[in-house]
């Protein structure tokens, strides 16, 4: 569908208005939108609310000069790039220049006017005004876009500044947390170190006391107590040497513990083979201490009883310590030997002897279950949940 243009014919002569209407109606674009007005006042009132596409105005108006009409149109109407064509009986160039300077787009002389010339002039003026308005609209758009971009840039700049501030604060608080963590780790290592030293002092006191003339049984009691204290001291030693203070590498700990026990009972690992498998598992302090003490008791028993009767060098003595993670998210600790075994008649679950009582108590402390296999020597199985599970 073609755009319908609105054209005002401003002329006091009805005859002339008719003629121009007749000319313009030849152009299908103008057919239905030709409005005839007689005076400058009527035209100005019309243009306060409407925006015609073209004003064909006569040089002689009944109520104003064409120059003052153009001035008022410029200032009082909402029309930009005034699409005004002035029609005059005079072919005076000075007047034409003056009229154009005051905003008219064209100046036509009536007696030379043909239908084609009028339509051509109208088309040219409307096209020029249309282009100028388009350019103005585009400039306005560019300006608006520039303002939008400047606002977005300002927002972005302030967001970047805010982000940098937050990042900086975060870095500072991270550094603070790291420092305080380092301080706490140092403190904790210091504590583990002191606990280990104190336990070693107790162990030394026991050793010194055992140097006095004592009977065999009392001497063994001193030696075993020393081993128990030593196995606890070892845990703290491993902890302050470890990079992670909350967990202990159980394999390393068990190796030191059993080395101590073999030395304490004067047994060489060349005669009794020691098989340790802990799958690089790590235990927290609350689990590692009871496990360490259980192993201390069971391995001491193996070293004391399993290979007595001077048999161990003949029967390929072997002590095993395995720690595995079981399917139910707990642990399975296996400690045993392939020695002479525990007597069938010995009630190992309710004995009053200290070693196995310690083992039962610590298993209970771990919320675990203990069983004994006597097929080949004595092998204890202890299943216990991870600490988190029973907390
Ligand atoms: N691995 C083993 N092989 C053979 N006999 C064992 C073994 N472990 C324990 N026994 C027997 O079970 C008994 C009880 O052991 P338990 O550790 O409770 O006490 P103990 O070793 O005699 O004394 P304590 O541990 O208090 O020094 C032992 O005296 C020993 O006869
Ligand atoms: Mg014992």
């Amino acid at each position: 569908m073609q755009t319908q243009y609105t054209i005002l014919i401003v002329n006091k002569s009805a005859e002339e208005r008719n003629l121009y209407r007749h000319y313009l109606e030849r152009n299908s674009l103008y057919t239905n939108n030709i409005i005839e007005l007689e005076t400058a006042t009527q035209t100005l009132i019309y243009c306060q609310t409407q925006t015609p596409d073209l004003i064909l105005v006569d040089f002689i108006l009944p109520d104003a000069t064409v120059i003052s009409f153009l001035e008022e149109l410029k200032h009082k109407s909402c029309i930009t790039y005034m699409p005004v064509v002035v029609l005059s009986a005079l072919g005076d160039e000075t007047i034409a220049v003056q009229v154009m300077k005051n905003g008219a787009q064209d100046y036509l002389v009536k007696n030379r006017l043909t239908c084609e010339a009028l339509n051509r002039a109208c088309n040219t003026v409307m096209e020029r005004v249309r282009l100028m308005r388009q350019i103005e609209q585009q400039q306005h758009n560019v300006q608006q876009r520039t303002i939008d971009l400047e606002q977005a840039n300002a927002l972005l700049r302030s967001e970047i500044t805010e982000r940098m501030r937050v990042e900086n604060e975060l870095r500072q608080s991270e550094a603070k947390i790291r420092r305080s963590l380092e301080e706490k780790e140092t403190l904790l290592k210091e504590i583990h170190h002191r606990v280990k030293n104190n336990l070693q002092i107790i162990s030394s006191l026991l050793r010194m006391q055992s140097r006095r003339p004592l009977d065999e049984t009392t001497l063994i009691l001193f030696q075993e107590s020393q081993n128990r204290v030593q196995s606890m001291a070892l845990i703290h030693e491993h902890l302050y040497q470890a990079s992670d203070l909350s967990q202990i590498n159980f394999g390393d700990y068990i190796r030191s513990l059993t080395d101590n026990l073999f030395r304490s009972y004067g047994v060489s690992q060349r005669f009794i083979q020691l098989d340790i498998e802990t799958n690089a598992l790590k235990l927290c302090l609350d689990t590692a201490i009871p496990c360490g003490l259980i192993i201390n008791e069971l391995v001491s028993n193996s070293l004391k009883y399993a290979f007595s009767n001077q048999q161990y060098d003949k029967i390929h003595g072997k002590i095993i310590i395995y720690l595995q993670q079981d399917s139910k998210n707990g642990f399975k600790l296996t400690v045993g030997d392939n020695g002479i075994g525990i007597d069938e008649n010995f009630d190992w679950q309710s004995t009053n002897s200290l070693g196995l009582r310690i083992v039962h108590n610590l298993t209970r402390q771990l919320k675990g279950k203990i069983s004994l296999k006597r097929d080949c020597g004595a092998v204890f199985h202890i299943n216990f949940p991870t600490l988190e599970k029973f907390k």
Side-chain angles (χ1 to χ4, degrees):
M1 206 179 91
Q2 278 184 316
T3 320
Q4 285 286 304
Y5 294 103
T6 306
I7 296 186
L8 299 187
I9 300 174
V10 186
N11 201 309
K12 66 178 187 309
S13 153
E15 194 185 330
E16 284 188 19
R17 290 199 305 270
N18 261 338
L19 177 69
Y20 303 144
R21 174 187 279 278
H22 177 68
Y23 281 168
L24 291 171
E25 276 176 353
R26 299 264 184 94
N27 187 334
S28 62
L29 289 179
Y30 314 141
T31 318
N32 296 318
N33 291 290
I34 295 170
I35 295 164
E36 293 181 29
L37 298 170
E38 286 185 32
T39 65
T41 314
Q42 286 172 346
T43 314
L44 287 168
I45 290 169
Y46 179 92
C47 290
Q48 272 168 10
T49 52
Q50 311 284 322
T51 309
D53 296 292
L54 188 78
I55 302 171
L56 207 56
V57 62
D58 197 64
F59 185 74
I60 307 293
L61 292 166
D63 52 349
T65 64
V66 95
I67 300 296
S68 66
F69 167 71
L70 289 171
E71 280 291 319
E72 291 222 20
L73 194 65
K74 206 185 294 174
H75 294 118
K76 291 192 181 158
S77 71
C78 50
I79 297 173
T80 53
Y81 301 107
M82 297 195 299
V84 179
V85 175
V86 176
L87 283 160
S88 170
L90 303 168
D92 186 328
E93 266 184 35
T94 324
I95 295 172
V97 169
Q98 202 185 353
V99 161
M100 306 277 273
K101 266 188 181 167
N102 278 281
Q105 299 291 334
D106 209 350
Y107 180 89
L108 301 176
V109 182
K110 288 181 193 172
N111 59 5
R112 286 188 233 137
L113 193 66
T114 61
C115 173
E116 289 71 29
L118 181 66
N119 274 308
R120 196 167 48 245
C122 290
N123 285 346
T124 310
V125 167
M126 280 194 290
E127 181 61 10
R128 192 188 309 145
V129 169
R130 191 185 63 77
L131 286 174
M132 282 160 90
R133 283 179 182 163
Q134 208 172 33
I135 288 169
E136 190 190 50
Q137 184 59 44
Q138 277 167 358
Q139 275 172 349
H140 175 78
N141 288 350
V142 168
Q143 267 169 13
Q144 191 52 49
R145 192 86 190 98
T146 310
I147 290 169
D148 289 351
L149 283 174
E150 275 169 2
Q151 282 172 350
N153 260 347
L155 198 71
L156 205 67
R157 260 197 303 276
S158 79
E159 276 175 10
I160 289 171
T161 315
E162 177 60 12
R163 196 197 160 113
M164 276 160 67
R165 192 188 63 73
V166 171
E167 277 179 355
N168 203 21
E169 262 178 26
L170 205 70
R171 260 197 300 277
Q172 281 176 1
S173 80
E174 270 174 7
K176 219 160 135 187
I177 291 170
R178 211 176 309 118
R179 265 200 309 280
S180 119
L181 205 68
E182 278 166 9
E183 280 167 15
K184 287 201 175 78
E185 276 192 4
T186 315
L187 207 68
L188 209 58
K189 283 192 175 185
E190 183 58 28
I191 291 169
H192 282 303
H193 200 166
R194 284 189 189 180
V195 171
K196 175 238 155 193
N197 284 349
N198 289 344
L199 288 170
Q200 260 179 350
I201 289 170
I202 298 171
S203 171
S204 304
L205 286 174
L206 290 169
R207 192 172 54 247
M208 279 155 69
Q209 277 186 311
S210 68
R211 281 198 193 123
R212 292 191 308 183
L214 295 167
D215 61 80
E216 179 80 4
T217 325
T218 322
L219 194 69
I220 289 172
L221 281 180
F222 269 109
Q223 194 187 8
E224 283 176 348
S225 301
Q226 218 183 304
N227 285 341
R228 285 168 187 144
V229 173
Q230 196 66 33
S231 66
M232 285 200 277
L234 267 177
I235 291 244
H236 294 282
E237 185 175 63
H238 276 268
L239 274 174
Y240 76 71
Q241 285 166 351
S243 51
D244 178 1
L245 279 169
S246 64
Q247 290 189 310
I248 187 163
N249 182 319
F250 204 62
D252 292 349
Y253 165 60
I254 292 306
R255 257 166 230 113
S256 318
L257 178 84
T258 46
D259 281 353
N260 265 359
L261 290 175
F262 271 69
R263 211 175 307 121
S264 164
Y265 287 100
V267 179
S268 163
Q269 289 185 29
R270 270 185 294 142
F271 295 116
I272 297 175
Q273 191 195 328
L274 179 61
D275 189 4
I276 297 175
E277 183 52 75
T278 58
N279 299 300
L281 285 169
K282 291 188 167 190
L283 296 181
C284 66
L285 189 66
D286 288 347
T287 313
I289 289 185
C291 281
L293 288 172
I294 289 173
I295 291 167
N296 180 72
E297 293 307 320
L298 297 178
V299 172
S300 298
N301 282 351
S302 296
L303 290 170
K304 277 200 291 182
Y305 311 116
F307 310 105
S308 54
N309 307 333
Q310 306 298 317
Q311 284 184 5
Y312 62 80
D313 50 346
K314 298 182 201 119
I315 61 166
H316 304 296
K318 185 175 178 181
I319 293 176
I320 55 165
I321 304 170
Y322 301 148
L323 180 70
Q324 295 157 296
Q325 197 124 40
D326 77 10
S327 53
K328 288 172 213 133
N329 206 19
F331 292 103
K332 181 180 178 181
L333 177 66
T334 308
V335 186
D337 58 67
N338 61 350
I340 58 171
I342 298 176
D343 197 295
E344 278 293 324
N345 300 319
F346 179 68
D347 184 3
W348 66 278
Q349 306 217 52
S350 52
T351 173
N352 273 333
S353 54
L354 183 62
L356 286 176
R357 253 183 32 227
I358 290 177
V359 171
H360 284 300
N361 285 346
L362 293 170
T363 305
R364 216 171 300 128
Q365 190 182 317
L366 287 170
K367 306 269 189 257
K369 284 200 165 50
I370 185 164
S371 60
L372 169 64
K373 283 233 162 66
R374 308 180 202 223
D375 319 342
C376 171
V379 180
F380 290 88
H381 295 281
I382 300 164
N383 289 77
F384 57 94
T386 51
L387 205 60
E388 290 69 28
K389 220 177 163 191
F390 63 78
K391 254 187 176 170

